[in-house]
Amino acid sequence: MKQSLSLKLQNKLKLNLVLKQQLNIITLPKTELIQEINKELEENPFLEEVSHIALTEDTFESKTFYEDEEEFNPFYKLAYKPSLYDILQTQVDVEFEGKDKDVAMEIIDSVDEKGYIKQEELERIANKYSLTLDEVEKIRKKVMTLEPTGIGALNFKEFLYQEYKDRYGKDKVVQEIIEQDLENLGNKEYLKEKYQLTDEELTEILDNIKSLRPYPLYGYEDFEITYVEPDIFLYYTGDEKNPFKIEINEQGIPNINLISQYKKVLNQKGLSEEAKKFLYEKLQKAIGIIQGIQQRRENLQKLVEFLVNYQKEFILNGKEYLKPLTLKDVSKQIGLHESTISRLVNSKYIQTPNGVIPLKTFFSNKASKESGDVSSNYVKYLIKEIIENEDPKKPYSDNDIVDILKQKGISVARRTVTKYREELNIPDSRKRKKS
């Protein structure tokens, strides 16, 4: 009985250590992954680096994926390296319309070196754009969901929970811990009793919190000139059936293996129990990092293939063609848990033929329940197009626009049309009428 219990505990420890390391690796963008691997290579006696295959001229003789001969070169990956500020501008262009877009950029321009914004700056922005503080606050909250997560946060606690939500999903208990007991993270007994948590639950929460960045612009302090390296390259092939080729960017990632003598190291005579436990944990961590790199590659490939195929029209034709898509939708299609997809998407960038964008950009909420499989961006695009082509002497009312959209197979309420029209800074029909 005792031996059986010991084996169960050992297997559980092994599973936890391996899974924890795998999940950590899946979460990391490429630059942080390289740092993590190099750190582990220095500290972990069970890991060794294997030399990569040397590059030759033949390496670049494979088929290229451009129609234009000028782009037939292997340096495409180096040709466009946008700054984080450039990528933020791209995200704002996709996520906001009209005056909201100007306000969002003003918020980004007003953050300090760590990515926080002061309340007085929000008041200044509200006065500048003749908005209420509540209206500016609504835009700020949306800015915080851009990449890097939390930019525009008012303080450390707000940023920390925003990033936690992005990485691990909403959690009321974690929110309360961050807001009320951040200074008590070292007092496990107090936290367990107050929040009715088991040892395992609390350990997982604390490990997750400790894995978060210290502030929004961590690693991007000079974000106007700090370049972002994409985790995925997307090439345009020109083929109608398969217009894109996907390549996971693993350039510079060390190729690692378990040392061949790892069993001998573990079975050395004379090792103390403490030393055995230390080595055993290092071995599980090494296995986890190797398996994590493989899973990261395979899962990223699977995820991006689905996203690119599903949002093909968005990539080819612009933000108006972005379809509604949630983590839950993707989970059903590719067979990965929502939390895994969230980790894969977090802080990852893809270089498309039109520029570098965060993977987050491929996700969009539905305009409304009755509108079906149509994104809010697309509905706004149609409203703008309808109004631009109306007779200025007889402009369409919001009810007229509802009817026109219905003819196009899109069912939205009048209040939704009014809301989107106002977000586009388009006046009502009476103000648009020209005699």
Side-chain angles (χ1 to χ4, degrees):
M1 180 69 180
K2 193 171 182 181
Q3 187 178 6
S4 174
L5 182 62
S6 175
L7 285 171
K8 283 180 182 177
L9 287 171
Q10 191 178 45
N11 287 335
K12 189 173 182 182
L13 175 63
K14 174 181 177 180
L15 185 66
N16 284 344
L17 286 169
V18 172
L19 282 178
K20 207 172 280 185
Q21 191 63 28
Q22 286 176 1
L23 290 173
N24 179 49
I25 294 300
I26 286 172
T27 303
L28 298 177
K30 184 195 164 192
T31 49
E32 291 179 31
L33 176 63
I34 292 173
Q35 291 172 5
E36 180 70 16
I37 293 173
N38 285 331
K39 177 176 174 249
E40 206 59 35
L41 277 169
E42 289 180 8
E43 299 176 358
N44 198 314
F46 294 104
L47 285 176
E48 63 180 356
E49 183 172 2
V50 181
S51 299
H52 287 280
I53 299 170
L55 295 177
T56 66
E57 290 182 7
D58 296 335
T59 308
F60 298 115
E61 287 184 2
S62 58
K63 182 182 176 184
T64 52
F65 302 95
Y66 296 92
E67 293 178 346
D68 189 342
E69 280 294 327
E70 291 181 2
E71 296 183 12
F72 279 1
N73 71 77
F75 299 104
Y76 161 71
K77 299 173 188 177
L78 307 175
Y80 176 58
K81 283 201 170 184
S83 69
L84 181 63
Y85 188 79
D86 295 330
I87 292 176
L88 280 164
Q89 283 184 311
T90 301
Q91 292 177 78
V92 167
D93 187 52
V94 171
E95 296 291 338
F96 297 89
E97 295 285 350
K99 185 190 283 189
D100 287 3
K101 188 184 294 187
D102 296 331
V103 175
M105 283 311 302
E106 186 84 23
I107 289 170
I108 289 168
D109 286 335
S110 303
V111 301
D112 62 22
E113 68 280 358
K114 291 188 175 181
Y116 297 117
I117 192 167
K118 292 182 172 64
Q119 185 64 36
E120 50 263 38
E121 284 296 317
L122 296 178
E123 292 169 5
R124 177 187 65 76
I125 293 169
N127 290 331
K128 179 177 178 179
Y129 290 94
S130 302
L131 296 171
T132 65
L133 265 175
D134 284 344
E135 288 171 324
V136 173
E137 180 66 8
K138 185 179 176 182
I139 296 169
R140 184 188 73 85
K141 290 282 189 181
K142 193 171 179 180
V143 167
M144 283 178 60
T145 66
L146 304 180
E147 223 34 280
T149 299
I151 189 165
L154 288 169
N155 52 58
F156 175 60
K157 290 181 179 179
E158 185 183 35
F159 154 70
L160 205 62
Y161 185 59
Q162 180 66 45
E163 187 174 17
Y164 192 99
K165 281 192 297 182
D166 256 27
R167 286 203 188 190
Y168 306 108
K170 291 182 180 180
D171 190 312
K172 188 68 177 173
V173 171
V174 173
Q175 185 177 10
E176 289 179 13
I177 289 173
I178 288 174
E179 290 176 355
Q180 301 173 21
D181 285 301
L182 208 53
E183 66 281 2
N184 294 317
L185 292 187
N187 192 341
K188 291 187 176 182
E189 292 305 317
Y190 163 78
L191 293 174
K192 278 196 299 181
E193 184 177 342
K194 180 174 179 179
Y195 297 101
Q196 295 297 293
L197 298 168
T198 65
D199 276 325
E200 196 172 80
E201 288 169 339
L202 181 59
T203 298
E204 183 180 357
I205 287 172
L206 294 179
D207 284 348
N208 288 345
I209 290 175
K210 288 172 185 175
S211 74
L212 303 177
R213 295 172 300 136
Y215 48 87
L217 286 179
Y218 178 70
Y220 300 106
E221 281 76 3
D222 198 348
F223 70 108
E224 291 195 14
I225 59 172
T226 302
Y227 296 116
V228 173
E229 185 173 9
D231 297 89
I232 307 106
F233 294 108
L234 184 66
Y235 302 90
Y236 181 61
T237 66
D239 185 329
E240 285 187 16
K241 290 184 178 179
N242 299 296
F244 301 110
K245 178 178 174 60
I246 297 160
E247 181 186 327
I248 306 302
N249 181 12
E250 295 191 327
Q251 186 177 5
I253 296 177
N255 188 18
I256 58 174
N257 265 334
L258 280 179
I259 63 167
S260 56
Q261 303 92 351
Y262 74 92
K263 288 183 180 177
K264 288 182 182 178
V265 174
L266 275 175
N267 293 324
Q268 282 181 33
K269 291 181 179 179
L271 279 179
S272 66
E273 286 301 315
E274 188 177 346
K276 282 182 181 178
K277 183 182 176 185
F278 170 79
L279 290 172
Y280 178 77
E281 289 181 358
K282 285 292 183 182
L283 175 60
Q284 301 316 310
K285 202 169 183 185
I287 293 170
I289 199 170
I290 291 169
Q291 291 180 356
I293 293 168
Q294 180 67 21
Q295 281 192 344
R296 180 183 184 273
R297 180 189 306 120
E298 293 172 358
N299 290 345
L300 261 180
Q301 184 77 29
K302 186 190 293 186
L303 171 65
V304 176
E305 281 177 1
F306 172 78
L307 293 177
V308 167
N309 182 59
Y310 188 81
Q311 301 288 20
K312 179 172 66 175
E313 293 302 319
F314 159 64
I315 299 167
L316 293 173
N317 301 310
K319 67 177 183 177
E320 293 84 8
Y321 293 85
L322 188 65
K323 295 180 187 176
L325 189 65
T326 64
L327 292 175
K328 189 175 182 180
D329 296 331
V330 179
S331 177
K332 288 178 181 176
Q333 293 296 322
I334 66 174
L336 292 175
H337 194 275
E338 285 180 51
S339 62
T340 303
I341 296 168
S342 179
R343 288 182 175 99
L344 281 168
V345 169
N346 184 62
S347 300
K348 305 291 194 311
Y349 296 86
I350 178 170
Q351 181 164 326
T352 74
N354 299 317
V356 177
I357 57 174
L359 277 184
K360 274 184 187 178
T361 310
F362 287 93
F363 293 81
S364 174
N365 293 322
K366 292 181 181 177
S368 65
K369 289 181 182 177
E370 69 268 21
S371 67
D373 193 30
V374 179
S375 73
S376 54
N377 277 331
Y378 186 55
V379 176
K380 288 178 186 177
Y381 166 74
L382 290 176
I383 292 170
K384 187 177 179 183
E385 187 180 58
I386 289 166
I387 292 172
E388 285 176 350
N389 292 295
E390 70 185 359
D391 182 348
K393 294 181 180 179
K394 294 180 180 179
Y396 296 120
S397 68
D398 290 348
N399 279 325
D400 293 332
I401 294 172
V402 168
D403 293 336
I404 295 169
L405 288 172
K406 196 170 288 185
Q407 292 169 17
K408 295 176 180 287
I410 299 169
S411 178
V412 292
R414 183 200 57 77
R415 64 180 178 276
T416 304
V417 170
T418 303
K419 176 187 171 187
Y420 289 167
R421 176 178 54 72
E422 289 173 349
E423 287 179 1
L424 290 165
N425 289 323
I426 298 173
D428 62 30
S429 57
R430 286 174 300 171
K431 293 179 180 176
R432 296 200 310 273
K433 188 174 182 179
K434 295 179 182 177
S435 53

